[in-house]
Amino acid sequence: MLEKSYEPGAVENRVYADWLKADAFAAGAGAAPGAETFTIVIPPPNVTGSLHIGHALNNTIQDILVRFNRMLKKDVLWQPGTDHAGIATQMIVERQLMERQQPGRREMGREKFVERVWEWKSESGGTIMNQLKRLGASADFSRERFTMGENGAPDDQMVRAVTKVFVELHSRGLIYRAKRLVNWHPGLETAISDLEVENIEIKGHMWHLRYPLADGVTYQFPIVDEEGNVTGHETRDYIIVATTRPETMLGDSGIAVHPEDERYAALVGKFVDLPLVGRRIPIVADEYADPELGTGAVKITPAHDFNDFEVGVRNDLEQINVFTTAGNIIDAEFVPEKYRGLERFAARKAIVDDLTALAEDNETRGLDHIEAKKIMVPHDEKTKLVVIEPFLTDQWWVKADVLAKPALAAVREGRTKFVPQQYENTYFAWLENIKPWCISRQLWWGHQIPAWYGPDQEAFVASSAEEAQALADAHYGKPVELRRDEDVLDTWFSSALWPFSTLGWPDDTAELRRYYPTDVLVTGFDIIFFWVARMMMMGLEFLDEEPFHTVYMHALVRDEKGQKMSKTKGNVIDPLALIDQYGADATRFTLAAMAAQGRDLKLSMSRVEGYRNFVTKIWNAARFLEMNECRRVEGYDPKANKLPLNRWIVGATARGAAAVTQGIVDYKFNEAANAAYDFVWGTFCDWYVEFAKPVFMGEDEAAKAETRATAAWALDQILTILHPFMPFVTEELWAETGKFGAPRESMLILTQWPNLAGLEDAEADADLTWLIDVITNVRSVRSEMNVPASAKLPLVVVGANETTLRRLVAGTSLITRLARLEEITPKSDVPGESAQFVVGEATWALPLAEFIDIPTEKARLSKEVTKLDGEVAQIDKKLGNEQFVAKAPEEVIEEQKARREAAIERRHHIAEALKRLS
């Protein structure tokens, strides 16, 4: 006997253990002989990570696809694993050493420190994989991979894959070493990726500085009034530039003006003397300078600004670095001694103070004025405390533009598609404007770059130290001492190989031949470039085939007001807390039911609670069927049913299963989940179970037997189509209901997905749809007219044809019981003071004078219509106000639109009720 209530906490761990014991997640588990493959690689979460709501959505969608395709009897592999997360992991271990007052990494040395990181990984690195198991993820954990392999040893397959790709790309001229600008983290002293930089708006300043012209040059500068009209000219021997980072002026090597800016035309080719430094720098013409912005003249610091770097390259300007790797001013002869060694922001203050002093001595020199201004400043994405610097340094780079061409063609020619398709535009935008990819990082944790340097810094790229030594000895004509590059590779470099390195490449493994290319990648829109595009590049370059045919981009999970979740707002929803409170099934189903393509999810607790109630509803329905001896019957044929009720539910089940199937196939997970919900709750539980009760209580044994067998069959189909969304409760019910009747052939996870085409019965469907429509309409009238729940109403039918009368004879007892009616009478005329509705060709009337005050009810309904009209008008006024729309947060606008929609829908129902009384 089923327990009275379903307790997820008591079931989920046990069921999951049963799946693992049965090897139900193993590659190929349950597959039919000769089955086609279905492969997904998990986007590897950081080994440092914990499950957040985005992970929960992403892995719920993957698991739905995996369980669905496994039940289609395909040879399924869901490949799990984690990413070594270079910066994040190194930071955690360094912080741990500091907290424990142990020697830091510099004191420990590289070898000992890396050993320590591996120890941390062994102790704490499996957290997120275990959390995914709580969600119900059915990945093949026996094949779990780590981007740095088992132990990071050179002969480890995952390490060999990374080394081979680096060496071969270098030999093809696609990897090179060059001095270029990177995003530099002065705290960690390493280059970082764009994804690890967050631009934050702060209250800053723009310092306007006067740079004196060299060689006694002067020019006529136009003076303009507030409306921009030239009112005169003044002779100037300086040019004004503006900057938000005065400390970088130490590295200025030019000033740019627009080639068509007449104010400065005579100055192009002339020079200025850099204040405080004395360096002579040229004035160049470049379209980067905007005549409408500030004075139209821009200081150019090629070594410390990405745009300036490009201007410098175009105009052959010197690249002068002024910072150490820690963000202090360098100790160099060209830097005034007082600034050397200063921390960058201390240097800023000192420089501004000195420029102010210059201006006090001479009003045509130094600081012109300071402008308070909101500015965007790049910070490290993790702590948001460290300001990131553009920094000129020697790094390793990939010629991404070459690799991008086949990756672009793959999507343009339809070999890989994005769902929703709109994300193709993001992909194209990135790849059509791609820049060289910086792949080196100044860290110790990661794949060390396989390059060795000779005594003259000549680089030898090789698969091993021995191979590099042989190359060097041949190059120099004698044995020389080599030094290995200390840098490691960008984490995204190794994860770009994930679809094939996890299958054994560079070895020619059976798994690689069987499961590559994979089928679907499920990921978030924010890493289209950083990961998706790079996997496409590497897959095409090394295996000559796209790594997946479909990229499903899921949206962002926001709070119920539409706000982005953040710790500072205090609106972060912890998926593990949801699982603890509501169960994994309700959590998963909520995420799936809200996963509309291209639309962010607004997650509210009421939705999760509602789907927990759905789990309870399924359990209670199964329990009711068990109490009424609804057991599976061996040899049951759904086509042999005689009762219209059972013929109808068989057809409805077929339609429900088809809708769920189509939704999953089309990646419309919300439509699939909602189709399942509507059928299971709205059709099976609300109608079929209610209609079956009189049969179970009746004396017709043949009808009872057929209905019991049909109900048990339908429940089996329900458990099957719900399983990808709600694996735990369905597996538990599958096992419990399998204790009676013929033995189950397998666990539910390995059961065949239903194909119920051809089971629809048009006549039974029409009969039962009519019955439901009549009951629903009566219930609507009762609700809308405030008819007391205890009142049993008379129902009159006018203009009924033979079919309706036949259906009425068969269904009167159900209608009167479920609609709370006294009697149903066919008549020739509609009685007065009645509420009317139409079903089929007949008009149905409920005389209400005896039960409600009709004039009062009409007045109440009219008043509510007027009130709703007022609400809609008020909202329309708000939404029509341009200032309100411009200033209001997006979530407020969405809330107003939702209120308007709800009011219009409510008004429609009230108007219909009034119409019935007229």
Side-chain angles (χ1 to χ4, degrees), residues 294-604:
T295 64
V298 186
K299 65 187 275 302
I300 302 300
T301 319
H304 294 292
D305 183 278
F306 288 100
N307 291 316
D308 289 8
F309 180 84
E310 300 298 334
V311 175
V313 169
R314 288 195 293 269
N315 295 278
D316 197 26
L317 299 179
E318 191 178 356
Q319 298 168 347
I320 304 169
N321 179 39
V322 301
F323 293 138
T324 67
T325 56
N328 300 326
I329 303 299
I330 61 171
D331 184 359
E333 284 188 17
F334 72 84
V335 176
E337 191 170 347
K338 66 179 296 186
Y339 306 136
R340 296 175 194 172
L342 285 181
E343 189 274 332
R344 54 189 164 151
F345 296 113
R348 174 182 296 182
K349 183 179 185 307
I351 287 168
V352 170
D353 287 345
D354 289 346
L355 290 168
T356 303
L358 278 178
E360 288 170 355
D361 291 341
N362 184 341
E363 64 180 14
T364 66
R365 296 294 180 263
L367 180 68
D368 185 80
H369 69 282
I370 302 173
E371 176 189 358
K373 188 175 184 179
K374 286 185 177 180
I375 56 174
M376 300 300 291
V377 177
H379 287 72
D380 73 305
E381 183 269 336
K382 286 276 183 256
T383 71
K384 300 175 178 52
L385 297 175
V386 180
V387 174
I388 302 304
E389 290 288 347
F391 190 68
L392 189 66
T393 175
D394 287 307
Q395 302 286 348
W396 289 93
W397 302 83
V398 172
K399 290 184 179 177
D401 59 329
V402 177
L403 294 175
K405 289 174 184 175
L408 272 167
V411 177
R412 289 198 194 286
E413 294 165 16
R415 293 189 297 279
T416 295
K417 67 174 183 177
F418 280 80
V419 179
Q421 191 176 359
Q422 69 202 49
Y423 287 107
E424 286 182 3
N425 297 328
T426 308
Y427 180 83
F428 293 146
W430 273 107
L431 294 194
E432 287 166 355
N433 300 284
I434 200 165
K435 304 290 184 188
W437 171 19
C438 177
I439 55 170
S440 44
R441 298 291 182 266
Q442 290 61 54
L443 303 169
W444 287 356
W445 174 244
H447 290 274
Q448 192 169 357
I449 289 172
W452 288 259
Y453 298 101
D456 58 357
Q457 299 308 303
E458 179 75 20
F460 300 93
V461 172
S463 297
S464 65
E466 294 75 19
E467 189 180 319
Q469 191 68 56
L471 290 172
D473 293 352
H475 174 79
Y476 293 109
K478 60 180 181 180
V480 294
E481 188 174 336
L482 296 181
R483 172 183 61 85
R484 184 164 185 180
D485 195 315
E486 291 191 358
D487 292 352
V488 300
L489 286 164
D490 177 12
T491 301
W492 295 104
F493 189 89
S494 50
S495 59
L497 320 182
W498 192 247
F500 52 92
S501 65
T502 53
L503 298 174
W505 191 91
D507 300 333
D508 182 23
T509 64
E511 291 86 353
L512 184 65
R513 291 193 300 272
R514 180 73 178 146
Y515 296 111
Y516 188 90
T518 71
D519 288 87
V520 184
L521 177 73
V522 178
T523 188
F525 63 87
D526 54 337
I527 53 173
I528 288 178
F529 173 67
F530 293 96
W531 191 45
V532 179
R534 289 165 179 172
M535 283 190 288
M536 290 285 284
M537 292 180 196
M538 295 302 189
L540 286 160
E541 181 70 16
F542 286 93
L543 282 90
D544 296 318
E545 199 167 359
E546 296 79 9
F548 23 72
H549 60 69
T550 300
V551 181
Y552 176 83
M553 310 300 303
H554 64 74
L556 193 66
V557 185
R558 298 177 178 270
D559 72 8
E560 61 184 314
K561 294 179 181 176
Q563 292 188 336
K564 192 172 181 179
M565 294 185 195
S566 72
K567 290 179 181 176
T568 52
K569 290 178 184 173
N571 63 346
V572 174
I573 297 173
D574 179 2
L576 296 174
L578 292 182
I579 292 170
D580 287 339
Q581 187 172 356
Y582 300 108
D585 291 325
T587 301
R588 290 167 58 112
F589 200 88
T590 303
L591 294 169
M594 301 181 76
Q597 287 184 9
R599 196 164 69 229
D600 287 351
L601 288 73
K602 294 180 184 177
L603 185 59
S604 68

Side-chain angles (χ1 to χ4, degrees), residues 269-310:
K270 301 295 192 291
F271 294 84
V272 300
D273 291 323
L274 185 62
L276 307 179
V277 178
R279 182 185 308 123
R280 182 181 169 91
I281 61 176
I283 300 170
V284 300
D286 195 282
E287 291 186 351
Y288 170 65
D290 184 352
E292 303 298 321
L293 195 62
T295 64
V298 186
K299 65 187 275 302
I300 302 300
T301 319
H304 294 292
D305 183 278
F306 288 100
N307 291 316
D308 289 8
F309 180 84
E310 300 298 334

